Amino acid sequence: MKQTVVKKITPYMFILPFFLIFCIFLVYPIFESFYLSFTAAEGSTSSWVGLDNFRQIFSDALFWKSMLNTVIILLVQVPVMLFLAFLLAVAVNNKNIKGRSIFRLAIFMPVLIDLVTYSIVFSIIFNDQYGVLNYILLMLHLPGIHWIQNPIWAKVTIIIAITWRWTGYNAIILLAGLQSIPDSIYEAADIDGVSGVKKFFLITMPMLKPIFLFCAIMSIIGTLQLFTEPFLLTNGGQPDNATETPVLFIYQYAFQSFHFGYASAAAYVLTAIVAILSYLQICVSKGGEI
Amino acid sequence: MFNDRQYRKKELGAMVLSKKLAALLASIFFVAVLTAGCGGSSSTANKSDSAGPVTIKVAAWNDAADSLKAEIEGFQKKYPDIKVEMQYVDNNYTKIMPRLASGSEVPDVIQTQNRDFPAFMKKFPGEFVDISDKVAKLKDKFVDSSWDPVTVDGKVYAMPWDLGPSAIFYRTDMFKEAGINVDAIETWDDYIAAGQKIKEHFGGKVAMTGYAPDFDIFEIGFNELGGNYATKDGKISLKSDQAKQALTLYKKLVETGTAIDIKDWNGRITAIKNNKIASIPFGVWFAGTIANSAADQRGKWGVMQLPAFTKGGNHSANLGGSILTITKQSKNQDAAWKFIEYCLATDEGETVMLKYGLFPSYKPFYDNAAFKNKDEYFGEPLYQFFAKQTDAILPIHRGPIMLDADKPLKDMISGVIAGRNIDEAIDTAAQEIAKKTGLTVQ
Amino acid sequence: MPILTVKKMQLFAPMKKKRAGRKQSNLFTYVLLLVGLIVSVYPFYWLFIAATLNDSQIFQLPPRFLPSINLFTNITNLQEKGPIWTTFANSLFIATTFTVLTVYISALTGYAFAKFNFRHKELLFFSILVTMMLPQQVVMIPLFKMMTAIGWQNELKAVIIPSLANSFGVFFMRQNMMNVPIELLEAARIDGCHELSIFHRIVLPTVYPAMAALAILSFIQQWGNFMWPLIILQDQSQMTLPLFLSMLVQPGQVIQYGEILAGAVIGVLPVFLIFLFFQKYFVSGVYGGAVKG
């Protein structure tokens, strides 16, 4: 009998430390901020407004523009990044390449960068007058691009920055996936004389699919919560709100004008959207696994 | 693999040991964490106002905090019973705001930008102490326009600290080379024309000035023209002729290439260091930044007054400046006031301030010898020059909108630069501000 | 997805192997990797060089590619700005403690979700996942109120402990533990092993790579954690290094870039070393979190 009791409470004992901290330090503040979203909390004032905040959010042009921006950035950045990550993973996986561990270290490094250096270096690179990029363009006799002033190019700047920071991370994940495909399958294909290209499409890609999915999901969630890059690199959503993101929106309402109620409401709308999108993704990829 | 009986027996034996070890490690870590920082944490208790020494906490940022810290020595000599503890916060209020919102860990004295103070009053009602009677005798000793942001409903809730009388810092060598006569620049149109000369002479490598997507240049123009963000009865008056003129000027500066995009504060410094811009319309507080960032350009910088919109028009504007205010949670409000008074309304206090490049709103200090000194970097009595500007600065009434207006104004500027119609941009900004503040547009 | 069986592969007609093409594809690969390396490493290279320059050299054009001798001066000057080494120690303490604790707790929790069945399991797991999607800014103010109410303001533990509600860690470890063979656990139980021992002696060793991976990611994340420490830590002596540096770069003041970047170099080194140390485990660990079964 004791054995069964022990068996029953064991899992609960295992999850207890986490859930204790989780409930006290995360769930409780979440409930409080959820409550705030039904109030017009501003600074140290507060008053109940029911669903008004949510009604306002749904008609807030800036909020939806920020969502649109994020979706546009996402639709371009995630595929580009995964494609590059895949190329790099394949390249580092290539047994004929010497110094693979050095390359592996190098492409992962961007994840380690500190925010101060990140913003300074990227500001320098994308600078209108003397940035490296425009310098190169000039040498190619092309007109310089107004990276941060132009609404379209500002989005491109963000995409480039995110891609720089996260491609290596995803490349390492894909690399691990590649390395777990048994050589025996490739050898069998060689025996049958399958060409390199066919091997790639018929063996590598299908076996990599679950990991690809993982990377895609994490990247999409990450991009939907984009904050750092527009905050640091494009003056907080400029120009003309072309790089405004939902989390930036929330931050601005909460920390610049102290409208906690409205910011909380926006946060929950965003969370709901992210949750729905993630759920849809998982459903669609039921062929893969999570 | 693990089916080996021998292996499992070893496992059983080691199990007990490992269980104890795990428990030990876990408890060590938990204890370590729970006692972490105990040694390093500072006492947060506020000693009460009664007999004996008291400690007041003052929160400020960057150089301003440094200046207050430097004041402590002199202050202690006068008031040995009052200890001052400096708290360094960021200038975006990220650190101070949660404290004000929750009402806990609030320092005795906090710094805010003067333009943001009315907004703080609105968002944190009752938070700041009424010091009207304390400042009554000081009213005429401070620049008139500096009282506007700290006065709400006729009562004064904060003390004006520094001011930002503005002018144009310019590269004397570049202007000379391009054949520009500084005295001939009277209007903004003259300024733009001079900018063209610079552009031509240096083949596009040097621009007259730079802009960042903040609304500083707009404010300079708006203030010169006597614009107000809000009326006395709390309506948003952004939609005005002055705003339109200021915004049109901004657009013109960008379109004619007079101002290039320098992205932000760091970008401006970089442009200065690299000889990319020939002038900067900014407040007096920028002088120290130039001197420190471009030490090798000493002697090459001068100051000239702001151009006016029309010949004979107003050449003065104010940009920036901070205030100090006492919070209601302070248990030592008298002591706090004494510190503020010492730093901001005495000659000794202002002497230290000036060393940190903080230009006083306290007028009596303008007669001080320090003002007559030639600035080493700029080669002229810099502060005297700026002191002359202060009388003509028009007060700009903002109402409690600035924290909410920050983003709409920035959007307005960047929208216009990106090609939006000026009237539309102003209108949108006004509507946005109205929405966020709950005030109505005039 | 179905793996090609050997039979199916026999259907493909034999094709001539392109030996000459291999050399070409190798060259292309080298070029790709080299470009990747340069692009990835350049900002770090810039950082290390800039930390050795004095301010007037940092932003000059054309940019310098060779170091100068100011590193020591920059660090000395930086030390005058504030307790830089104390903040470094704080960062180290916070990141290390957090990493050790979160890896252990995530392993405990992930194990339960992966290998046990219990009531409300799905609901609890779902609640963990959902919290991952909430932007953290939104809980900061309520959390701050709580911290001051229990007297933890300005304490390092106020940064560590709330962060331990690390949903990603739990999710990650759970995925990795799905692969642990249940027979192993059953066998150990039959032998009368205590559950916690099974966990320590059998389960954990199997997932060391995943733990190493999580350790790296957790360390990096906590080291760069910025907003919450800004809000909750008051004194300079309690701050973390990245936080302290960012306070020095605020607009409105004179910014000494050489010093700050020297500080950034100091800040980058630990994360760098942690990665180097754990990287051999990292690769297989992250993969394990991506695929179940």
Side-chain angles (χ1 to χ4, degrees):
Chain A
M1 274 307 111
K2 187 181 172 201
Q3 199 68 327
T4 343
V5 171
V6 168
K7 197 165 186 188
K8 272 200 166 159
I9 66 169
T10 305
Y12 293 109
M13 298 308 310
F14 271 93
I15 66 175
L16 187 63
F18 177 78
F19 271 97
L20 211 58
I21 296 178
F22 183 71
C23 289
I24 297 176
F25 296 104
L26 193 52
V27 174
Y28 175 72
I30 288 181
F31 277 151
E32 206 183 312
S33 72
F34 192 60
Y35 169 75
L36 279 178
S37 66
F38 294 100
T39 70
E42 185 186 345
S44 58
T45 69
S46 182
S47 60
W48 181 265
V49 294
L51 292 173
D52 267 1
N53 285 337
F54 293 98
R55 259 187 281 250
Q56 260 203 306
I57 293 273
F58 281 109
S59 59
D60 192 321
L62 182 58
F63 183 74
W64 295 107
K65 179 166 185 178
S66 71
M67 284 265 35
L68 184 65
N69 289 339
T70 311
V71 169
I72 293 175
I73 290 176
L74 191 153
L75 287 175
V76 175
Q77 191 265 334
V78 174
V80 166
M81 178 181 71
L82 289 180
F83 175 68
L84 279 176
F86 182 70
L87 277 185
L88 286 170
V90 168
V92 177
N93 198 34
N94 191 323
K95 292 191 178 55
N96 297 315
I97 303 290
K98 299 202 183 62
R100 285 154 66 196
S101 51
I102 298 179
F103 286 117
R104 195 174 64 193
L105 173 64
I107 58 179
F108 184 73
M109 273 175 74
V111 170
L112 310 177
I113 196 143
D114 70 290
L115 296 180
V116 173
T117 309
Y118 189 37
S119 79
I120 293 180
V121 173
F122 271 77
S123 301
I124 293 178
I125 293 176
F126 285 95
N127 186 286
D128 238 10
Q129 275 72 45
Y130 40 78
V132 170
L133 287 180
N134 275 0
Y135 186 69
I136 295 177
L137 285 173
L138 223 65
M139 296 228 282
L140 297 172
H141 300 289
L142 293 169
I145 298 176
H146 296 306
W147 294 99
I148 317 255
Q149 294 163 297
N150 181 297
I152 297 178
W153 287 107
K155 285 197 177 72
V156 174
T157 308
I158 298 282
I159 290 173
I160 295 178
I162 303 174
T163 309
W164 177 82
R165 197 143 84 109
W166 296 103
T167 299
Y169 177 82
N170 285 289
I172 300 293
I173 296 180
L174 293 174
L175 173 66
L178 282 175
Q179 288 183 341
S180 65
I181 302 177
D183 280 336
S184 49
I185 301 187
Y186 286 114
E187 279 159 23
D190 279 342
I191 291 173
D192 287 335
V194 181
S195 76
V197 176
K198 276 223 170 75
K199 261 193 291 187
F200 180 82
F201 281 104
L202 294 167
I203 304 176
T204 315
M205 295 217 61
M207 292 210 73
L208 221 44
K209 183 174 164 185
I211 309 160
F212 235 97
L213 235 41
F214 174 76
C215 286
I217 293 177
M218 297 311 289
S219 301
I220 290 177
I221 294 182
T223 310
L224 285 169
Q225 299 188 329
L226 186 62
F227 173 75
T228 311
E229 274 75 12
F231 185 66
L232 290 179
L233 304 179
T234 57
N235 289 311
Q238 305 301 337
D240 198 23
N241 291 316
T243 59
E244 178 84 0
T245 65
V247 178
L248 205 52
F249 179 90
I250 293 165
Y251 172 81
Q252 284 158 351
Y253 267 96
F255 285 90
Q256 286 178 3
S257 50
F258 311 162
H259 287 278
F260 309 128
Y262 196 60
S264 300
Y268 287 102
V269 172
L270 175 67
T271 307
I273 295 178
V274 174
I276 294 173
L277 280 176
S278 306
Y279 182 70
L280 286 175
Q281 246 205 315
I282 294 174
C283 282
V284 158
S285 67
K286 252 323 174 189
E289 316 190 321
I290 196 69
Chain B
M1 287 189 296
F2 288 88
N3 293 333
D4 188 29
R5 275 220 171 259
Q6 235 179 354
Y7 188 89
R8 264 198 261 144
K9 281 222 171 93
K10 227 162 101 179
E11 293 290 340
L12 278 164
M15 234 189 338
V16 176
L17 183 65
S18 83
K19 185 172 105 175
K20 285 189 179 158
L21 189 64
L24 182 64
L25 279 173
S27 41
I28 288 179
F29 276 118
F30 268 104
V31 169
V33 165
L34 287 174
T35 55
C38 269
S41 75
S42 60
S43 156
T44 50
N46 238 342
K47 301 209 183 76
S48 75
D49 226 339
S50 46
V54 299
T55 308
I56 55 168
K57 293 176 201 278
V58 180
W61 57 72
N62 301 346
D63 298 344
D66 286 337
S67 73
L68 289 177
K69 201 165 178 187
E71 296 273 15
I72 296 179
E73 205 186 308
F75 179 70
Q76 295 272 229
K77 289 205 189 92
K78 225 170 167 177
Y79 298 98
D81 271 354
I82 306 179
K83 303 254 174 301
V84 179
E85 205 182 283
M86 279 311 302
Q87 292 183 348
Y88 280 76
V89 296
D90 62 306
N91 63 357
N92 293 315
Y93 310 122
T94 312
K95 220 185 175 80
I96 199 75
M97 183 271 285
R99 288 161 171 79
L100 291 173
S102 64
S104 38
E105 293 299 302
V106 182
D108 296 82
V109 177
I110 66 166
Q111 172 191 15
T112 78
Q113 289 208 55
N114 56 19
R115 69 187 195 193
D116 295 329
F117 185 69
F120 270 83
M121 285 287 297
K122 176 168 179 247
K123 291 177 196 276
F124 300 101
E127 176 65 34
F128 305 108
V129 173
D130 181 352
I131 53 173
S132 309
D133 39 337
K134 294 197 166 63
V135 301
K137 53 179 165 49
L138 295 169
K139 271 293 180 65
D140 53 341
K141 295 206 175 120
F142 280 76
V143 174
D144 278 341
S145 51
S146 66
W147 289 113
D148 187 289
V150 300
T151 312
V152 178
D153 285 336
K155 299 209 189 79
V156 178
Y157 293 90
M159 190 68 168
W161 184 347
D162 65 317
L163 217 57
S166 305
I168 301 205
F169 298 95
Y170 70 98
R171 285 284 294 270
T172 49
D173 57 331
M174 286 183 181
F175 270 42
K176 200 165 170 195
E177 222 189 284
I180 297 175
N181 180 7
V182 164
D183 296 319
I185 301 182
E186 281 200 38
T187 66
W188 285 106
D189 284 328
D190 296 333
Y191 182 73
I192 293 174
Q196 294 302 103
K197 262 184 156 171
I198 293 266
K199 204 159 99 170
E200 278 156 26
H201 181 87
F202 290 97
K205 284 204 168 66
V206 177
M208 189 59 158
T209 187
Y211 73 93
D214 50 37
F215 45 98
D216 288 340
I217 298 184
F218 171 77
E219 278 231 345
I220 288 179
F222 195 53
N223 193 196
E224 272 192 323
L225 294 166
N228 286 298
Y229 284 102
T231 62
K232 293 284 177 182
D233 54 330
K235 292 216 178 59
I236 297 171
S237 55
L238 181 61
K239 282 166 80 163
S240 58
D241 210 45
Q242 292 99 332
K244 192 164 173 176
Q245 276 192 63
L247 207 48
T248 310
L249 171 67
Y250 204 121
K251 186 169 176 168
K252 211 166 167 192
L253 287 170
V254 176
E255 278 179 344
T256 56
T258 314
I260 55 170
D261 183 9
I262 48 171
K263 187 174 179 271
D264 59 10
W265 181 268
N266 290 342
R268 184 177 289 114
I269 293 179
T270 311
I272 293 172
K273 283 192 212 254
N274 287 314
N275 306 303
K276 291 285 176 186
I277 53 179
S279 67
I280 307 164
F282 237 3
V284 59
W285 35 263
F286 197 62
T289 310
I290 298 181
N292 270 296
S293 312
D296 52 331
Q297 289 172 16
R298 172 191 276 237
K300 295 191 184 160
W301 284 90
V303 263
M304 68 181 200
Q305 64 177 358
L306 292 169
F309 277 83
T310 54
K311 252 191 152 81
N314 187 11
H315 290 275
S316 299
N318 182 60
L319 199 61
S322 303
I323 57 95
L324 283 175
T325 181
I326 305 175
T327 58
K328 74 167 184 227
Q329 285 92 349
S330 170
K331 296 193 173 68
N332 306 295
Q333 291 177 9
D334 259 350
W337 166 250
K338 289 199 175 80
F339 184 64
I340 295 177
E341 188 185 23
Y342 172 80
C343 293
L344 305 185
T346 63
D347 270 9
E348 321 158 59
E350 290 293 0
T351 313
V352 176
M353 290 298 170
L354 204 62
K355 284 208 189 77
Y356 284 84
L358 296 169
F359 191 87
S361 321
Y362 179 61
K363 288 195 294 197
F365 194 65
Y366 296 170
D367 297 320
N368 191 287
F371 264 64
K372 316 242 162 58
N373 287 342
K374 241 195 192 177
D375 183 279
E376 280 176 20
Y377 188 85
F378 289 86
E380 51 181 289
L382 196 64
Y383 291 118
Q384 214 172 40
F385 173 81
F386 279 99
K388 281 208 211 90
Q389 312 291 320
T390 58
D391 276 329
I393 296 177
L394 297 167
I396 181 169
H397 192 69
R398 301 172 192 273
I401 69 165
M402 283 324 279
L403 290 172
D404 290 290
D406 208 75
K407 185 163 166 61
L409 287 173
K410 285 196 179 125
D411 290 347
M412 177 180 83
I413 305 283
S414 77
V416 163
I417 292 174
R420 280 187 91 188
N421 171 273
I422 289 185
D423 288 309
E424 211 190 287
I426 295 180
D427 191 51
T428 311
Q431 298 301 336
E432 266 296 304
I433 299 175
K435 191 177 96 165
K436 288 171 88 170
T437 56
L439 301 173
T440 47
V441 181
Q442 193 186 42
Chain C
M1 280 305 286
I3 307 169
L4 283 174
T5 61
V6 177
K7 257 196 180 166
K8 267 194 185 165
M9 285 191 260
Q10 281 169 335
L11 292 171
F12 293 108
M15 294 179 57
K16 220 158 71 171
K17 287 217 180 107
K18 298 178 185 156
R19 287 225 176 259
R22 182 169 279 188
K23 243 188 176 176
Q24 233 179 19
S25 71
N26 268 3
L27 183 65
F28 172 73
T29 310
Y30 269 114
V31 170
L32 174 70
L33 285 175
L34 213 57
V35 171
L37 183 138
I38 294 176
V39 167
S40 300
V41 171
Y42 175 68
F44 292 92
Y45 182 73
W46 183 92
L47 170 62
F48 282 101
I49 299 284
T52 66
L53 304 176
N54 66 45
D55 274 20
S56 58
Q57 295 168 312
I58 293 178
F59 293 107
Q60 75 185 32
L61 296 168
R64 280 183 68 111
F65 285 106
L66 297 168
S68 179
I69 50 157
N70 295 72
L71 183 59
F72 192 67
T73 327
N74 282 338
I75 295 184
T76 315
N77 290 339
L78 184 62
Q79 281 172 159
E80 282 167 35
K81 283 256 157 60
I84 186 81
W85 298 108
T86 312
T87 62
F88 182 68
N90 290 341
S91 284
L92 219 53
F93 178 79
I94 290 177
T96 311
T97 316
F98 171 72
T99 301
V100 170
L101 287 176
T102 202
V103 169
Y104 188 70
I105 294 180
S106 298
L108 277 176
T109 322
Y111 173 58
F113 279 110
K115 289 295 161 198
F116 288 85
N117 279 311
F118 49 97
R119 250 171 71 184
H120 306 308
K121 176 166 112 162
E122 275 83 26
L123 182 66
L124 288 171
F125 192 64
F126 177 72
S127 68
I128 295 179
L129 285 186
V130 164
T131 57
M132 269 208 301
M133 304 179 190
L134 190 68
Q136 64 157 179
Q137 285 88 346
V138 105
V139 289
M140 283 182 185
I141 308 275
L143 195 59
F144 176 81
K145 287 194 194 163
M146 182 196 294
M147 290 290 126
T148 54
I150 59 179
W152 281 16
Q153 68 282 354
N154 202 37
E155 302 274 332
L156 297 184
K157 63 188 181 232
V159 177
I160 299 173
I161 301 197
S163 313
L164 291 174
N166 182 5
S167 309
F168 173 77
V170 171
F171 185 32
F172 184 76
M173 289 311 293
R174 178 227 189 218
Q175 298 302 91
N176 276 281
M177 289 187 170
M178 303 292 279
N179 287 338
V180 176
I182 195 92
E183 305 82 39
L184 222 59
L185 308 174
E186 293 297 340
R189 286 188 189 123
I190 291 172
D191 277 351
C193 286
H194 192 278
E195 287 293 341
L196 206 56
S197 287
I198 298 177
F199 178 70
H200 289 134
R201 303 297 302 186
I202 301 178
V203 178
L204 285 190
T206 321
V207 290
Y208 278 155
M211 289 170 71
L214 187 59
I216 295 179
L217 297 178
S218 305
F219 192 90
I220 293 174
Q221 179 238 318
Q222 191 58 253
W223 186 270
N225 191 10
F226 169 76
M227 260 206 92
W228 175 243
L230 172 65
I231 291 177
I232 196 65
L233 297 173
Q234 183 56 66
D235 309 323
Q236 279 191 329
S237 59
Q238 290 292 91
M239 284 186 195
T240 62
L241 181 58
L243 178 59
F244 177 72
L245 289 178
S246 70
M247 298 277 274
L248 295 175
V249 226
Q250 291 184 76
Q253 66 174 345
V254 177
I255 302 178
Q256 312 282 27
Y257 289 101
E259 295 161 22
I260 293 168
L261 293 172
V265 168
I266 298 174
V268 146
L269 287 177
V271 269
F272 201 66
L273 292 172
I274 293 277
F275 177 68
L276 280 179
F277 181 71
F278 280 111
Q279 73 157 327
K280 52 182 184 285
Y281 300 111
F282 181 48
V283 173
S284 44
V286 183
Y287 163 61
V291 173
K292 159 188 94 176

